[in-house]
Amino acid sequence: MVLVLAGNNKDKKENGKFPAPHKVLSVDREKETAIVEGVNLVSRSTKPSAKNPQGGIIKKEAPIHISNLSLVDPESGAPTRIAIKREGKTVTRIAKKSGKEIK
């Protein structure tokens, strides 16, 4: 779960509280982008096909750079940075704000 920090779909604070986080659908590590549900929607025109017999204009999510996203603290719902904790061969991500594990 992430919050959008920059761009046209920047999440606004409401009454000092953070908005609901968005779900990450996929991540492209090579291009350092992510597709986030309901963010950075673009319109694409499609021809009629067997899958979509009507055709027309379809709205879908486009990739957004990961520097414009922030992970959500599992406890408070606020944006947070992460720390990497290594114990032997296990690696866990820890939220800097609360100290809780991010899954």
Side-chain angles (χ1 to χ4, degrees):
M1 302 300 278
V2 296
L3 290 176
V4 180
L5 300 177
N8 293 341
N9 298 100
K10 179 178 176 180
D11 291 327
K12 305 279 192 288
K13 285 186 184 180
E14 297 176 9
N15 301 329
K17 295 183 179 179
F18 290 99
H22 300 281
K23 184 178 181 182
V24 176
L25 301 176
S26 66
V27 176
D28 184 357
R29 288 184 175 196
E30 289 181 11
K31 295 181 182 178
E32 296 181 346
T33 59
I35 295 179
V36 182
E37 187 175 46
V39 175
N40 199 19
L41 292 174
V42 294
S43 299
R44 295 283 182 237
S45 55
T46 59
K47 290 184 176 181
S49 64
K51 189 175 182 182
N52 186 9
Q54 187 68 20
I57 298 173
I58 295 177
K59 294 236 180 221
K60 64 184 233 177
E61 292 94 358
I64 185 169
H65 199 269
I66 58 172
S67 66
N68 297 328
L69 303 174
S70 179
L71 285 174
V72 173
D73 189 344
E75 191 171 286
S76 66
T80 184
R81 294 180 300 159
I82 62 167
I84 303 295
K85 184 177 180 184
R86 293 182 175 94
E87 292 178 3
K89 292 187 178 184
T90 60
V91 177
T92 56
R93 299 183 304 164
I94 308 293
K96 288 270 194 172
K97 283 196 176 182
S98 66
K100 300 285 182 181
E101 181 180 349
I102 297 176
K103 297 180 182 179

